[in-house]
Amino acid sequence: MYTYSLGEGCPHTHILLGPPRRDVRGAAFVTGLLRRDESLADVEGALRIAGELADELTR
């Protein structure tokens, strides 16, 4: 799992998470994430995980 955290000098953070793919790894993968490469997106998986995380945070 790659993680990349951006603080941008403000009291907040952005965290991008993504499992590497066989064809896109390392710096190319992180660059794709930062450029919001749509081919890396798993919208259904992201929505499912976001829901699970929201449930955990509201317990």
Side-chain angles (χ1 to χ4, degrees):
M1 183 67 67
Y2 292 100
T3 62
Y4 194 87
S5 179
L6 304 169
E8 301 175 13
C10 299
H12 75 284
T13 189
H14 300 265
I15 301 172
L16 306 174
L17 300 173
R21 296 182 351 190
R22 293 182 193 270
D23 60 331
V24 183
R25 299 184 68 80
F29 185 81
V30 172
T31 298
L33 282 177
L34 292 174
R35 292 184 178 167
R36 302 189 190 289
D37 181 342
E38 294 289 328
S39 74
L40 299 176
D42 175 2
V43 175
E44 289 179 19
L47 291 173
R48 178 181 47 78
I49 291 170
E52 291 172 5
L53 179 58
D55 290 344
E56 286 295 320
L57 292 173
T58 57
R59 286 185 192 191

